[in-house]
Amino acid sequence: MEEVDIRHADGTIIPTLISAQRTIVDDVSFDVEVLLDVSARVRHQHEIELALRASARTDALSGLPNRACFDEVIAAHVERMHESEKLLVLAFIDFKSH
């Protein structure tokens, strides 16, 4: 089996699994190909990945963005600033009460 994206006539991409086999019966060769549309499975897997990513970036108790989310956002801003050659200033203050 092989994963192949097939382009439909209307331009949409359909993820498929393809299996091909050559069979010979009475000295006559037949090609048997099976195509399986797996777009629902791919869509479901993508939804699960998005949910897991959101869960990993959110504090379970408060529902607020956590440190991992903060790190991702800062990394994205740093990359954009680097590409545009602009200056980025970041101040991070962490107060601990005694």
Side-chain angles (χ1 to χ4, degrees):
M1 288 244 169
E2 184 176 345
E3 291 184 33
V4 176
D5 289 337
I6 295 177
R7 184 177 306 276
H8 191 272
D10 66 6
T12 59
I13 301 293
I14 303 170
T16 61
L17 291 177
I18 296 179
S19 176
Q21 180 177 351
R22 176 160 287 171
T23 303
I24 300 175
V25 178
D26 295 331
D27 293 329
V28 177
S29 179
F30 297 93
D31 288 336
V32 178
E33 296 182 13
V34 177
L35 282 88
L36 179 62
D37 180 351
V38 293
S39 55
R41 178 186 63 108
V42 169
R43 193 171 33 256
H44 181 67
Q45 183 177 358
H46 181 68
E47 290 169 1
I48 290 172
E49 289 171 1
L50 287 175
L52 286 172
R53 186 168 185 249
S55 177
R57 299 173 75 225
T58 306
D59 180 74
L61 182 61
S62 67
L64 296 171
N66 63 15
R67 180 63 184 258
C69 180
F70 174 79
D71 291 343
E72 280 185 30
V73 169
I74 293 301
H77 282 293
V78 167
E79 182 66 27
R80 278 196 299 274
M81 291 291 118
H82 179 71
E83 290 172 358
S84 64
E85 298 181 3
K86 293 183 178 178
L87 180 64
L88 173 69
V89 177
L90 174 67
F92 183 72
I93 301 171
D94 186 10
F95 288 103
K96 302 226 189 263
S97 61
H98 297 299

